[in-house]
Amino acid sequence: LVLPRINARVHAMTDFEVEGSNDVVTSTLLVNSTPTYVLFSCGATHSFVARKFAKTLNVQPEWLDNPYCAYAPGDRVLVSHLKYNNCLVEIENRTLQANLVEINMSDFDVILGID
């Protein structure tokens, strides 16, 4: 069995996993001018977008020949070949750019990793 090279980490992907955690915040923000349910996570090494939400970004994804492999809660490994570059995130009258890796999650539209 060959294990994939892990190059990302996400600590919470559901509302249940967020409960009681003191290193995450949730909010609704505009991402590419679309209201988006966002999780800010100090434990995530990258920023992620839900597969079902990604199509609302109106951005052509970049295909990654070397996919992102992310550790997720429950000892799961998520593999993604798609990244959405230069998405615009509006926070308190400021616009920031985020590169979002597509993963399969259901409770949040976007997880923004904060270092």
Side-chain angles (χ1 to χ4, degrees):
L1 176 67
V2 176
L3 296 175
R5 185 169 96 39
I6 305 300
N7 50 7
R9 176 181 70 240
V10 61
H11 286 275
M13 290 179 45
T14 66
D15 281 324
F16 179 76
E17 292 162 345
V18 168
E19 287 180 23
S21 180
N22 59 359
D23 62 350
V24 296
V25 173
T26 61
S27 184
T28 299
L29 303 173
L30 293 178
V31 176
N32 286 358
S33 302
T34 301
T36 307
Y37 187 44
V38 175
L39 169 72
F40 293 90
S41 177
C42 292
T45 58
H46 291 73
S47 295
F48 303 93
V49 61
R51 181 173 293 138
K52 66 178 182 177
F53 185 79
K55 62 183 162 256
T56 68
L57 295 173
N58 294 320
V59 172
Q60 184 67 33
E62 174 188 353
W63 176 262
L64 305 170
D65 289 329
N66 297 312
Y68 275 87
C69 296
Y71 272 128
D75 292 328
R76 294 179 296 155
V77 176
L78 305 172
V79 179
S80 178
H81 283 276
L82 296 176
K83 183 169 80 167
Y84 297 81
N85 292 313
N86 303 315
C87 296
L88 302 178
V89 181
E90 295 178 42
I91 303 172
E92 293 190 10
N93 298 320
R94 291 188 176 188
T95 302
L96 308 171
Q97 288 187 345
N99 297 327
L100 306 174
V101 176
E102 183 182 290
I103 60 174
N104 191 20
M105 63 178 168
S106 58
D107 286 15
F108 302 101
D109 299 324
V110 168
I111 295 176
L112 292 176
I114 302 170
D115 54 10

